[in-house]
PDB file of all heavy atoms in Angstrom:
ATOM      1  N   SER A   1      15.776  12.864 -10.607  1.00 88.00           N
ATOM      2  CA  SER A   1      14.312  12.866 -10.636  1.00 88.00           C
ATOM      3  C   SER A   1      13.750  11.452 -10.592  1.00 88.00           C
ATOM      4  O   SER A   1      12.752  11.196  -9.906  1.00 88.00           O
ATOM      5  CB  SER A   1      13.794  13.619 -11.861  1.00 88.00           C
ATOM      6  OG  SER A   1      14.294  13.039 -13.037  1.00 88.00           O
ATOM      7  N   LEU A   2      14.382  10.510 -11.280  1.00 90.00           N
ATOM      8  CA  LEU A   2      13.925   9.118 -11.214  1.00 90.00           C
ATOM      9  C   LEU A   2      14.143   8.538  -9.822  1.00 90.00           C
ATOM     10  O   LEU A   2      13.305   7.789  -9.309  1.00 90.00           O
ATOM     11  CB  LEU A   2      14.663   8.259 -12.243  1.00 90.00           C
ATOM     12  CG  LEU A   2      14.166   8.328 -13.672  1.00 90.00           C
ATOM     13  CD1 LEU A   2      15.047   7.489 -14.587  1.00 90.00           C
ATOM     14  CD2 LEU A   2      12.728   7.874 -13.764  1.00 90.00           C
ATOM     15  N   PHE A   3      15.268   8.884  -9.218  1.00 91.00           N
ATOM     16  CA  PHE A   3      15.563   8.394  -7.876  1.00 91.00           C
ATOM     17  C   PHE A   3      14.526   8.914  -6.875  1.00 91.00           C
ATOM     18  O   PHE A   3      13.979   8.153  -6.073  1.00 91.00           O
ATOM     19  CB  PHE A   3      16.978   8.821  -7.477  1.00 91.00           C
ATOM     20  CG  PHE A   3      17.476   8.207  -6.205  1.00 91.00           C
ATOM     21  CD1 PHE A   3      17.674   6.844  -6.113  1.00 91.00           C
ATOM     22  CD2 PHE A   3      17.757   8.990  -5.105  1.00 91.00           C
ATOM     23  CE1 PHE A   3      18.138   6.267  -4.938  1.00 91.00           C
ATOM     24  CE2 PHE A   3      18.219   8.434  -3.930  1.00 91.00           C
ATOM     25  CZ  PHE A   3      18.409   7.069  -3.846  1.00 91.00           C
ATOM     26  N   LEU A   4      14.244  10.215  -6.954  1.00 94.00           N
ATOM     27  CA  LEU A   4      13.254  10.808  -6.045  1.00 94.00           C
ATOM     28  C   LEU A   4      11.854  10.251  -6.303  1.00 94.00           C
ATOM     29  O   LEU A   4      11.111   9.958  -5.351  1.00 94.00           O
ATOM     30  CB  LEU A   4      13.253  12.328  -6.183  1.00 94.00           C
ATOM     31  CG  LEU A   4      14.500  13.037  -5.645  1.00 94.00           C
ATOM     32  CD1 LEU A   4      14.463  14.517  -6.000  1.00 94.00           C
ATOM     33  CD2 LEU A   4      14.655  12.832  -4.155  1.00 94.00           C
ATOM     34  N   ALA A   5      11.489  10.082  -7.566  1.00 94.00           N
ATOM     35  CA  ALA A   5      10.173   9.519  -7.894  1.00 94.00           C
ATOM     36  C   ALA A   5      10.064   8.083  -7.389  1.00 94.00           C
ATOM     37  O   ALA A   5       9.021   7.685  -6.844  1.00 94.00           O
ATOM     38  CB  ALA A   5       9.931   9.570  -9.396  1.00 94.00           C
ATOM     39  N   GLY A   6      11.128   7.326  -7.543  1.00 95.00           N
ATOM     40  CA  GLY A   6      11.126   5.951  -7.047  1.00 95.00           C
ATOM     41  C   GLY A   6      10.990   5.888  -5.536  1.00 95.00           C
ATOM     42  O   GLY A   6      10.215   5.079  -5.001  1.00 95.00           O
ATOM     43  N   LEU A   7      11.730   6.736  -4.834  1.00 96.00           N
ATOM     44  CA  LEU A   7      11.632   6.757  -3.370  1.00 96.00           C
ATOM     45  C   LEU A   7      10.231   7.158  -2.914  1.00 96.00           C
ATOM     46  O   LEU A   7       9.671   6.540  -2.002  1.00 96.00           O
ATOM     47  CB  LEU A   7      12.665   7.718  -2.780  1.00 96.00           C
ATOM     48  CG  LEU A   7      14.121   7.257  -2.813  1.00 96.00           C
ATOM     49  CD1 LEU A   7      15.041   8.390  -2.386  1.00 96.00           C
ATOM     50  CD2 LEU A   7      14.326   6.033  -1.942  1.00 96.00           C
ATOM     51  N   MET A   8       9.662   8.186  -3.534  1.00 97.00           N
ATOM     52  CA  MET A   8       8.323   8.633  -3.140  1.00 97.00           C
ATOM     53  C   MET A   8       7.278   7.563  -3.472  1.00 97.00           C
ATOM     54  O   MET A   8       6.361   7.317  -2.677  1.00 97.00           O
ATOM     55  CB  MET A   8       7.973   9.961  -3.823  1.00 97.00           C
ATOM     56  CG  MET A   8       6.667  10.553  -3.336  1.00 97.00           C
ATOM     57  SD  MET A   8       6.491  10.744  -1.545  1.00 97.00           S
ATOM     58  CE  MET A   8       7.754  11.926  -1.173  1.00 97.00           C
ATOM     59  N   GLY A   9       7.404   6.922  -4.622  1.00 97.00           N
ATOM     60  CA  GLY A   9       6.483   5.841  -4.973  1.00 97.00           C
ATOM     61  C   GLY A   9       6.585   4.672  -4.000  1.00 97.00           C
ATOM     62  O   GLY A   9       5.575   4.086  -3.602  1.00 97.00           O
ATOM     63  N   MET A  10       7.810   4.344  -3.595  1.00 97.00           N
ATOM     64  CA  MET A  10       7.989   3.274  -2.607  1.00 97.00           C
ATOM     65  C   MET A  10       7.393   3.673  -1.263  1.00 97.00           C
ATOM     66  O   MET A  10       6.791   2.839  -0.572  1.00 97.00           O
ATOM     67  CB  MET A  10       9.479   2.946  -2.456  1.00 97.00           C
ATOM     68  CG  MET A  10      10.073   2.245  -3.656  1.00 97.00           C
ATOM     69  SD  MET A  10      11.866   2.076  -3.532  1.00 97.00           S
ATOM     70  CE  MET A  10      12.026   0.959  -2.150  1.00 97.00           C
ATOM     71  N   LEU A  11       7.550   4.942  -0.887  1.00 97.00           N
ATOM     72  CA  LEU A  11       6.991   5.437   0.366  1.00 97.00           C
ATOM     73  C   LEU A  11       5.459   5.313   0.364  1.00 97.00           C
ATOM     74  O   LEU A  11       4.862   4.789   1.315  1.00 97.00           O
ATOM     75  CB  LEU A  11       7.410   6.891   0.592  1.00 97.00           C
ATOM     76  CG  LEU A  11       6.760   7.651   1.739  1.00 97.00           C
ATOM     77  CD1 LEU A  11       7.061   7.007   3.069  1.00 97.00           C
ATOM     78  CD2 LEU A  11       7.225   9.090   1.737  1.00 97.00           C
ATOM     79  N   ILE A  12       4.836   5.760  -0.710  1.00 97.00           N
ATOM     80  CA  ILE A  12       3.376   5.674  -0.819  1.00 97.00           C
ATOM     81  C   ILE A  12       2.929   4.210  -0.831  1.00 97.00           C
ATOM     82  O   ILE A  12       1.934   3.843  -0.188  1.00 97.00           O
ATOM     83  CB  ILE A  12       2.888   6.440  -2.064  1.00 97.00           C
ATOM     84  CG1 ILE A  12       3.133   7.935  -1.879  1.00 97.00           C
ATOM     85  CG2 ILE A  12       1.418   6.146  -2.354  1.00 97.00           C
ATOM     86  CD1 ILE A  12       2.988   8.762  -3.134  1.00 97.00           C
ATOM     87  N   SER A  13       3.681   3.360  -1.510  1.00 97.00           N
ATOM     88  CA  SER A  13       3.351   1.933  -1.553  1.00 97.00           C
ATOM     89  C   SER A  13       3.473   1.298  -0.170  1.00 97.00           C
ATOM     90  O   SER A  13       2.642   0.456   0.207  1.00 97.00           O
ATOM     91  CB  SER A  13       4.260   1.204  -2.538  1.00 97.00           C
ATOM     92  OG  SER A  13       4.084   1.692  -3.838  1.00 97.00           O
ATOM     93  N   ALA A  14       4.495   1.682   0.592  1.00 97.00           N
ATOM     94  CA  ALA A  14       4.658   1.137   1.942  1.00 97.00           C
ATOM     95  C   ALA A  14       3.505   1.560   2.844  1.00 97.00           C
ATOM     96  O   ALA A  14       2.999   0.764   3.649  1.00 97.00           O
ATOM     97  CB  ALA A  14       5.997   1.588   2.534  1.00 97.00           C
ATOM     98  N   VAL A  15       3.060   2.801   2.702  1.00 97.00           N
ATOM     99  CA  VAL A  15       1.902   3.267   3.478  1.00 97.00           C
ATOM    100  C   VAL A  15       0.647   2.492   3.050  1.00 97.00           C
ATOM    101  O   VAL A  15      -0.150   2.064   3.899  1.00 97.00           O
ATOM    102  CB  VAL A  15       1.708   4.791   3.317  1.00 97.00           C
ATOM    103  CG1 VAL A  15       0.383   5.247   3.906  1.00 97.00           C
ATOM    104  CG2 VAL A  15       2.868   5.546   3.947  1.00 97.00           C
ATOM    105  N   ALA A  16       0.482   2.285   1.747  1.00 96.00           N
ATOM    106  CA  ALA A  16      -0.677   1.531   1.255  1.00 96.00           C
ATOM    107  C   ALA A  16      -0.640   0.084   1.751  1.00 96.00           C
ATOM    108  O   ALA A  16      -1.685  -0.480   2.106  1.00 96.00           O
ATOM    109  CB  ALA A  16      -0.725   1.572  -0.271  1.00 96.00           C
ATOM    110  N   MET A  17       0.553  -0.519   1.806  1.00 96.00           N
ATOM    111  CA  MET A  17       0.660  -1.882   2.347  1.00 96.00           C
ATOM    112  C   MET A  17       0.255  -1.915   3.814  1.00 96.00           C
ATOM    113  O   MET A  17      -0.441  -2.832   4.252  1.00 96.00           O
ATOM    114  CB  MET A  17       2.090  -2.405   2.202  1.00 96.00           C
ATOM    115  CG  MET A  17       2.421  -2.902   0.820  1.00 96.00           C
ATOM    116  SD  MET A  17       4.015  -3.702   0.751  1.00 96.00           S
ATOM    117  CE  MET A  17       5.067  -2.334   0.318  1.00 96.00           C
ATOM    118  N   THR A  18       0.680  -0.909   4.560  1.00 96.00           N
ATOM    119  CA  THR A  18       0.317  -0.843   5.970  1.00 96.00           C
ATOM    120  C   THR A  18      -1.192  -0.706   6.135  1.00 96.00           C
ATOM    121  O   THR A  18      -1.802  -1.421   6.937  1.00 96.00           O
ATOM    122  CB  THR A  18       1.036   0.335   6.663  1.00 96.00           C
ATOM    123  OG1 THR A  18       2.446   0.157   6.519  1.00 96.00           O
ATOM    124  CG2 THR A  18       0.680   0.417   8.124  1.00 96.00           C
ATOM    125  N   VAL A  19      -1.787   0.197   5.383  1.00 96.00           N
ATOM    126  CA  VAL A  19      -3.248   0.385   5.446  1.00 96.00           C
ATOM    127  C   VAL A  19      -3.958  -0.917   5.070  1.00 96.00           C
ATOM    128  O   VAL A  19      -4.914  -1.344   5.736  1.00 96.00           O
ATOM    129  CB  VAL A  19      -3.699   1.553   4.545  1.00 96.00           C
ATOM    130  CG1 VAL A  19      -5.213   1.595   4.406  1.00 96.00           C
ATOM    131  CG2 VAL A  19      -3.161   2.867   5.079  1.00 96.00           C
ATOM    132  N   GLY A  20      -3.466  -1.555   4.012  1.00 95.00           N
ATOM    133  CA  GLY A  20      -4.069  -2.814   3.585  1.00 95.00           C
ATOM    134  C   GLY A  20      -3.982  -3.892   4.651  1.00 95.00           C
ATOM    135  O   GLY A  20      -4.954  -4.627   4.893  1.00 95.00           O
ATOM    136  N   LEU A  21      -2.852  -4.004   5.305  1.00 94.00           N
ATOM    137  CA  LEU A  21      -2.692  -5.018   6.345  1.00 94.00           C
ATOM    138  C   LEU A  21      -3.503  -4.699   7.598  1.00 94.00           C
ATOM    139  O   LEU A  21      -4.070  -5.603   8.227  1.00 94.00           O
ATOM    140  CB  LEU A  21      -1.213  -5.165   6.711  1.00 94.00           C
ATOM    141  CG  LEU A  21      -0.330  -5.832   5.661  1.00 94.00           C
ATOM    142  CD1 LEU A  21       1.140  -5.763   6.071  1.00 94.00           C
ATOM    143  CD2 LEU A  21      -0.754  -7.266   5.445  1.00 94.00           C
ATOM    144  N   VAL A  22      -3.558  -3.428   7.962  1.00 95.00           N
ATOM    145  CA  VAL A  22      -4.315  -3.034   9.153  1.00 95.00           C
ATOM    146  C   VAL A  22      -5.810  -3.278   8.967  1.00 95.00           C
ATOM    147  O   VAL A  22      -6.499  -3.748   9.871  1.00 95.00           O
ATOM    148  CB  VAL A  22      -4.030  -1.555   9.514  1.00 95.00           C
ATOM    149  CG1 VAL A  22      -5.000  -1.045  10.566  1.00 95.00           C
ATOM    150  CG2 VAL A  22      -2.597  -1.391   9.992  1.00 95.00           C
ATOM    151  N   LEU A  23      -6.320  -2.973   7.789  1.00 95.00           N
ATOM    152  CA  LEU A  23      -7.767  -3.085   7.532  1.00 95.00           C
ATOM    153  C   LEU A  23      -8.183  -4.425   6.930  1.00 95.00           C
ATOM    154  O   LEU A  23      -9.356  -4.618   6.604  1.00 95.00           O
ATOM    155  CB  LEU A  23      -8.214  -1.948   6.615  1.00 95.00           C
ATOM    156  CG  LEU A  23      -8.029  -0.534   7.176  1.00 95.00           C
ATOM    157  CD1 LEU A  23      -8.452   0.496   6.151  1.00 95.00           C
ATOM    158  CD2 LEU A  23      -8.786  -0.362   8.480  1.00 95.00           C
ATOM    159  N   LEU A  24      -7.248  -5.351   6.791  1.00 93.00           N
ATOM    160  CA  LEU A  24      -7.539  -6.638   6.158  1.00 93.00           C
ATOM    161  C   LEU A  24      -8.615  -7.427   6.904  1.00 93.00           C
ATOM    162  O   LEU A  24      -9.473  -8.059   6.273  1.00 93.00           O
ATOM    163  CB  LEU A  24      -6.262  -7.474   6.060  1.00 93.00           C
ATOM    164  CG  LEU A  24      -6.367  -8.801   5.334  1.00 93.00           C
ATOM    165  CD1 LEU A  24      -6.821  -8.572   3.897  1.00 93.00           C
ATOM    166  CD2 LEU A  24      -5.029  -9.509   5.360  1.00 93.00           C
ATOM    167  N   SER A  25      -8.617  -7.362   8.226  1.00 92.00           N
ATOM    168  CA  SER A  25      -9.622  -8.113   8.989  1.00 92.00           C
ATOM    169  C   SER A  25     -11.024  -7.507   8.855  1.00 92.00           C
ATOM    170  O   SER A  25     -12.015  -8.202   9.066  1.00 92.00           O
ATOM    171  CB  SER A  25      -9.217  -8.178  10.464  1.00 92.00           C
ATOM    172  OG  SER A  25      -9.136  -6.876  11.010  1.00 92.00           O
ATOM    173  N   GLN A  26     -11.108  -6.240   8.492  1.00 94.00           N
ATOM    174  CA  GLN A  26     -12.410  -5.583   8.352  1.00 94.00           C
ATOM    175  C   GLN A  26     -12.955  -5.639   6.923  1.00 94.00           C
ATOM    176  O   GLN A  26     -14.161  -5.694   6.721  1.00 94.00           O
ATOM    177  CB  GLN A  26     -12.310  -4.121   8.799  1.00 94.00           C
ATOM    178  CG  GLN A  26     -11.972  -3.996  10.272  1.00 94.00           C
ATOM    179  CD  GLN A  26     -11.635  -2.569  10.652  1.00 94.00           C
ATOM    180  OE1 GLN A  26     -11.583  -1.685   9.802  1.00 94.00           O
ATOM    181  NE2 GLN A  26     -11.402  -2.347  11.930  1.00 94.00           N
ATOM    182  N   PHE A  27     -12.048  -5.591   5.958  1.00 94.00           N
ATOM    183  CA  PHE A  27     -12.446  -5.582   4.547  1.00 94.00           C
ATOM    184  C   PHE A  27     -11.611  -6.610   3.787  1.00 94.00           C
ATOM    185  O   PHE A  27     -10.390  -6.454   3.670  1.00 94.00           O
ATOM    186  CB  PHE A  27     -12.225  -4.206   3.912  1.00 94.00           C
ATOM    187  CG  PHE A  27     -12.903  -3.079   4.642  1.00 94.00           C
ATOM    188  CD1 PHE A  27     -12.187  -2.245   5.474  1.00 94.00           C
ATOM    189  CD2 PHE A  27     -14.270  -2.866   4.484  1.00 94.00           C
ATOM    190  CE1 PHE A  27     -12.803  -1.202   6.146  1.00 94.00           C
ATOM    191  CE2 PHE A  27     -14.893  -1.831   5.153  1.00 94.00           C
ATOM    192  CZ  PHE A  27     -14.158  -0.993   5.993  1.00 94.00           C
ATOM    193  N   ALA A  28     -12.260  -7.612   3.251  1.00 92.00           N
ATOM    194  CA  ALA A  28     -11.542  -8.679   2.538  1.00 92.00           C
ATOM    195  C   ALA A  28     -10.824  -8.150   1.296  1.00 92.00           C
ATOM    196  O   ALA A  28      -9.753  -8.644   0.929  1.00 92.00           O
ATOM    197  CB  ALA A  28     -12.507  -9.796   2.155  1.00 92.00           C
ATOM    198  N   TRP A  29     -11.404  -7.122   0.682  1.00 94.00           N
ATOM    199  CA  TRP A  29     -10.799  -6.588  -0.547  1.00 94.00           C
ATOM    200  C   TRP A  29      -9.485  -5.853  -0.295  1.00 94.00           C
ATOM    201  O   TRP A  29      -8.767  -5.502  -1.234  1.00 94.00           O
ATOM    202  CB  TRP A  29     -11.781  -5.708  -1.311  1.00 94.00           C
ATOM    203  CG  TRP A  29     -12.370  -4.581  -0.515  1.00 94.00           C
ATOM    204  CD1 TRP A  29     -13.520  -4.606   0.215  1.00 94.00           C
ATOM    205  CD2 TRP A  29     -11.838  -3.269  -0.364  1.00 94.00           C
ATOM    206  NE1 TRP A  29     -13.743  -3.388   0.799  1.00 94.00           N
ATOM    207  CE2 TRP A  29     -12.721  -2.546   0.463  1.00 94.00           C
ATOM    208  CE3 TRP A  29     -10.709  -2.623  -0.847  1.00 94.00           C
ATOM    209  CZ2 TRP A  29     -12.497  -1.224   0.822  1.00 94.00           C
ATOM    210  CZ3 TRP A  29     -10.488  -1.300  -0.491  1.00 94.00           C
ATOM    211  CH2 TRP A  29     -11.374  -0.610   0.340  1.00 94.00           C
ATOM    212  N   MET A  30      -9.137  -5.621   0.953  1.00 94.00           N
ATOM    213  CA  MET A  30      -7.856  -4.965   1.260  1.00 94.00           C
ATOM    214  C   MET A  30      -6.666  -5.834   0.870  1.00 94.00           C
ATOM    215  O   MET A  30      -5.559  -5.337   0.696  1.00 94.00           O
ATOM    216  CB  MET A  30      -7.759  -4.615   2.747  1.00 94.00           C
ATOM    217  CG  MET A  30      -8.456  -3.338   3.098  1.00 94.00           C
ATOM    218  SD  MET A  30      -7.649  -1.950   2.294  1.00 94.00           S
ATOM    219  CE  MET A  30      -8.779  -0.664   2.671  1.00 94.00           C
ATOM    220  N   SER A  31      -6.901  -7.131   0.710  1.00 93.00           N
ATOM    221  CA  SER A  31      -5.808  -7.999   0.243  1.00 93.00           C
ATOM    222  C   SER A  31      -5.369  -7.581  -1.153  1.00 93.00           C
ATOM    223  O   SER A  31      -4.184  -7.636  -1.484  1.00 93.00           O
ATOM    224  CB  SER A  31      -6.236  -9.465   0.255  1.00 93.00           C
ATOM    225  OG  SER A  31      -7.328  -9.667  -0.627  1.00 93.00           O
ATOM    226  N   TYR A  32      -6.317  -7.113  -1.977  1.00 95.00           N
ATOM    227  CA  TYR A  32      -5.972  -6.634  -3.315  1.00 95.00           C
ATOM    228  C   TYR A  32      -5.185  -5.328  -3.248  1.00 95.00           C
ATOM    229  O   TYR A  32      -4.264  -5.113  -4.033  1.00 95.00           O
ATOM    230  CB  TYR A  32      -7.236  -6.453  -4.168  1.00 95.00           C
ATOM    231  CG  TYR A  32      -7.971  -7.742  -4.404  1.00 95.00           C
ATOM    232  CD1 TYR A  32      -9.226  -7.958  -3.844  1.00 95.00           C
ATOM    233  CD2 TYR A  32      -7.408  -8.748  -5.176  1.00 95.00           C
ATOM    234  CE1 TYR A  32      -9.904  -9.150  -4.051  1.00 95.00           C
ATOM    235  CE2 TYR A  32      -8.076  -9.946  -5.394  1.00 95.00           C
ATOM    236  CZ  TYR A  32      -9.319 -10.134  -4.823  1.00 95.00           C
ATOM    237  OH  TYR A  32      -9.975 -11.308  -5.028  1.00 95.00           O
ATOM    238  N   VAL A  33      -5.553  -4.478  -2.305  1.00 95.00           N
ATOM    239  CA  VAL A  33      -4.801  -3.231  -2.101  1.00 95.00           C
ATOM    240  C   VAL A  33      -3.363  -3.559  -1.732  1.00 95.00           C
ATOM    241  O   VAL A  33      -2.416  -2.971  -2.273  1.00 95.00           O
ATOM    242  CB  VAL A  33      -5.470  -2.351  -1.012  1.00 95.00           C
ATOM    243  CG1 VAL A  33      -4.585  -1.173  -0.644  1.00 95.00           C
ATOM    244  CG2 VAL A  33      -6.838  -1.877  -1.475  1.00 95.00           C
ATOM    245  N   SER A  34      -3.190  -4.520  -0.833  1.00 94.00           N
ATOM    246  CA  SER A  34      -1.842  -4.918  -0.420  1.00 94.00           C
ATOM    247  C   SER A  34      -1.052  -5.497  -1.591  1.00 94.00           C
ATOM    248  O   SER A  34       0.139  -5.193  -1.755  1.00 94.00           O
ATOM    249  CB  SER A  34      -1.901  -5.928   0.723  1.00 94.00           C
ATOM    250  OG  SER A  34      -2.487  -5.344   1.862  1.00 94.00           O
ATOM    251  N   MET A  35      -1.710  -6.323  -2.394  1.00 95.00           N
ATOM    252  CA  MET A  35      -1.009  -6.933  -3.539  1.00 95.00           C
ATOM    253  C   MET A  35      -0.589  -5.871  -4.550  1.00 95.00           C
ATOM    254  O   MET A  35       0.544  -5.884  -5.041  1.00 95.00           O
ATOM    255  CB  MET A  35      -1.897  -7.981  -4.213  1.00 95.00           C
ATOM    256  CG  MET A  35      -2.005  -9.249  -3.406  1.00 95.00           C
ATOM    257  SD  MET A  35      -3.060 -10.540  -4.079  1.00 95.00           S
ATOM    258  CE  MET A  35      -3.430 -10.082  -5.713  1.00 95.00           C
ATOM    259  N   VAL A  36      -1.477  -4.950  -4.861  1.00 96.00           N
ATOM    260  CA  VAL A  36      -1.143  -3.876  -5.799  1.00 96.00           C
ATOM    261  C   VAL A  36      -0.018  -3.021  -5.234  1.00 96.00           C
ATOM    262  O   VAL A  36       0.909  -2.636  -5.952  1.00 96.00           O
ATOM    263  CB  VAL A  36      -2.392  -3.024  -6.125  1.00 96.00           C
ATOM    264  CG1 VAL A  36      -2.022  -1.758  -6.872  1.00 96.00           C
ATOM    265  CG2 VAL A  36      -3.398  -3.841  -6.922  1.00 96.00           C
ATOM    266  N   ALA A  37      -0.063  -2.751  -3.931  1.00 96.00           N
ATOM    267  CA  ALA A  37       0.990  -1.952  -3.295  1.00 96.00           C
ATOM    268  C   ALA A  37       2.338  -2.658  -3.370  1.00 96.00           C
ATOM    269  O   ALA A  37       3.374  -2.014  -3.605  1.00 96.00           O
ATOM    270  CB  ALA A  37       0.620  -1.657  -1.844  1.00 96.00           C
TER     271      ALA A  37
END
């Protein structure tokens, strides 16, 4: 369960990093999203 939770959390974080990087030029606050991710 910890392994699966860790993998899913990493997956969601990787998607959040991608969203943060893609939208960084449009929204300056996306840098914080990327850092948290």
Side-chain angles (χ1 to χ4, degrees):
S1 58
L2 280 177
F3 189 65
L4 290 173
L7 287 172
M8 186 53 64
M10 289 172 66
L11 171 61
I12 293 167
S13 298
V15 170
M17 281 188 268
T18 301
V19 170
L21 289 173
V22 169
L23 298 178
L24 184 60
S25 61
Q26 296 170 356
F27 305 102
W29 55 269
M30 278 295 172
S31 62
Y32 297 112
V33 171
S34 296
M35 286 178 12
V36 169

